[in-house]
Amino acid sequence: MLSIKANFVKNKIIKSIDRKAKIMEIIKKSTDLQKQIIELKKSGKTIGFVPTMGALHNGHISLIKKAKEDCDIVVLSIFVNPKQFGPNEDYNKYPRVHEIDIKICEEENVDFLFLPDEKTFYDEFHLTYVEVEKLSNIHCGKSRPGHFKGVTTVVAKLFNIVLPDKAYFGKKDFQQLIIIKKMVNDLSFPIEIIGCPIVRDFDGLALSSRNKYLTDEERKIALKISQSLNKAKEAILKNEKDASMIYDLILNELNNVDGLKIDYISIVDDKFLESVKTISKNTVILIACFVGKTRLIDNLHCEEFLN
Ligand code: AMP
């Protein structure tokens, strides 16, 4: 007979072996994943979902870790969605590094990696789109017509396959997060959307799969974006609440940087993304810039440091 303490230790060891022995399943077919998820849900498991386009970095990993904390089962999808790229954008050259991504997912104990085929995920005669009006045509949507329509369409489709209880999105793509929340609310998806903090590199550059495109020189230039947001934060903390002053400050920081072209700087509220005159905790500063040919975005949500 084992003592209570010995039994406790034995169970703990078995649990940890179980966890280690659990092999991640890679699934390519939507219906295969959907069937498994339905069975898991019947047995009471909660499902956390992290949609991505791959080339995983610590930003994506932070979403996985949060999903692992909250849910019994974590599904991560990798799909470079053709519908969210414009005709002159980087769809073809977007990094596809499945072998490395698979290793990362295994290390992070993802339960299901959904890797749909790029050519067959959408039916040849796909006709159905989901679009969140107004919010999709401003800021990044203005510079990238059709982008958010592609995003909401793929996310709605993925939600219907993965049937998650919770889905995890980075605040790095702030406008995307707001649009997804609106879609989920407007169309009554029974899913909780969790926004996760921006993960940055050691020097402040927001992590992005597109950082891979940058040369060393361009990376230095790109750093100006987060630095300009830091300067804005300092000024706000010193009580500068006039949005036009903060706008000018950022503009001054970025305007004459060789190799950097501002796409937009917007100082907006965090629900409808409309311009504000006065900075408050509900304000978010959105920036998009081209560094060489690479389009980078970053933002500062004042909620993080204002009461
Ligand atoms: P992507 O693969 O670029 O489509 O991104 C997949 C998810 O990861 C989205 O919800 C992004 O907002 C999120 N994400 C990307 N970069 C970061 C980052 N630096 N910090 C936090 N989340 C991120």
Side-chain angles (χ1 to χ4, degrees):
M1 276 283 278
L2 286 170
S3 69
I4 294 175
K5 195 173 168 201
N7 242 329
F8 175 76
V9 171
K10 185 180 141 213
N11 286 339
K12 227 176 153 185
I13 292 169
I14 289 173
K15 266 194 187 153
S16 93
I17 291 172
D18 266 3
R19 209 173 289 144
K20 279 202 183 112
K22 190 167 177 333
I23 294 168
M24 180 178 80
E25 254 192 82
I26 301 177
I27 299 188
K28 297 202 164 169
K29 226 174 125 190
S30 306
T31 46
D32 288 350
L33 179 62
Q34 204 180 38
K35 270 185 209 147
Q36 295 221 42
I37 298 286
I38 289 170
E39 286 313 308
L40 284 162
K41 288 182 81 127
K42 272 189 201 154
S43 67
K45 302 281 189 213
T46 54
I47 313 294
F49 179 39
V50 181
T52 81
M53 298 207 298
L56 302 180
H57 50 64
N58 282 334
H60 300 111
I61 291 173
S62 73
L63 307 186
I64 302 174
K65 287 197 190 301
K66 180 78 177 92
K68 287 297 292 183
E69 261 173 49
D70 294 353
C71 305
D72 299 321
I73 301 290
V74 172
V75 180
L76 181 136
S77 64
I78 297 179
F79 180 63
V80 184
N81 174 33
K83 294 199 185 296
Q84 70 187 67
F85 288 80
N88 298 318
E89 292 184 347
D90 56 340
Y91 173 69
N92 284 324
K93 76 164 189 178
Y94 198 85
R96 289 158 175 88
V97 288
H98 284 183
E99 271 180 36
I100 301 170
D101 286 347
I102 289 170
K103 283 216 177 79
I104 293 174
C105 289
E106 279 171 348
E107 271 163 24
E108 294 303 322
N109 296 310
V110 166
D111 298 284
F112 292 95
L113 173 56
F114 183 40
L115 270 179
D117 180 66
E118 280 183 33
K119 296 213 171 65
T120 55
F121 185 58
Y122 294 106
D123 184 280
E124 207 186 331
F125 304 107
H126 184 97
L127 292 174
T128 309
Y129 290 83
V130 179
E131 187 164 16
V132 175
E133 291 181 351
K134 281 191 177 168
L135 288 174
S136 295
N137 301 322
I138 51 178
H139 315 304
C140 282
K142 203 166 166 190
S143 316
R144 304 184 67 190
H147 168 67
F148 286 116
K149 184 176 171 186
V151 170
T152 38
T153 299
V154 80
V155 171
K157 188 168 165 70
L158 288 166
F159 281 176
N160 283 330
I161 295 163
V162 179
L163 305 169
D165 298 281
K166 297 180 188 223
Y168 297 81
F169 290 85
K171 282 184 161 189
K172 152 85 173 19
D173 300 270
F174 196 89
Q175 188 175 4
Q176 170 174 283
L177 173 64
I178 298 302
I179 289 174
I180 300 289
K181 280 188 175 168
K182 192 81 185 89
M183 174 187 84
V184 161
N185 183 69
D186 288 357
L187 299 183
S188 307
F189 279 95
I191 301 169
E192 189 184 344
I193 302 300
I194 316 279
C196 302
I198 302 177
V199 177
R200 297 179 179 280
D201 220 334
F202 68 97
D203 50 6
L205 182 70
L207 293 184
S208 161
S209 306
R210 289 192 167 95
N211 292 351
K212 283 192 164 62
Y213 300 150
L214 301 172
T215 62
D216 290 349
E217 194 50 40
E218 286 175 337
R219 201 191 168 289
K220 278 187 207 144
I221 296 168
L223 204 51
K224 297 275 179 197
I225 303 168
S226 57
Q227 285 171 348
S228 74
L229 286 170
N230 276 337
K231 293 230 161 110
K233 180 176 169 182
E234 278 168 25
I236 295 166
L237 283 170
K238 282 187 188 141
N239 225 19
E240 180 55 83
K241 298 288 163 61
D242 182 339
S244 69
M245 297 299 280
I246 297 297
Y247 180 92
D248 287 346
L249 185 158
I250 297 173
L251 191 66
N252 268 335
E253 288 297 315
L254 298 178
N255 221 0
N256 295 316
V257 178
D258 264 355
L260 183 145
K261 193 171 138 257
I262 300 169
D263 182 9
Y264 69 80
I265 302 164
S266 301
I267 305 186
V268 297
D269 74 88
D270 60 6
K271 287 216 164 43
F272 295 101
L273 308 180
E274 287 169 351
S275 291
V276 296
K277 288 203 164 99
T278 309
I279 308 265
S280 74
K281 82 184 259 239
N282 307 116
T283 302
V284 57
I285 305 174
L286 306 171
I287 299 185
C289 291
F290 285 93
V291 176
K293 286 190 173 143
T294 306
R295 188 172 181 281
L296 298 172
I297 56 172
D298 201 347
N299 67 76
L300 177 71
H301 195 189
C302 296
E303 183 190 87
E304 285 158 25
F305 57 93
L306 288 185
N307 296 315

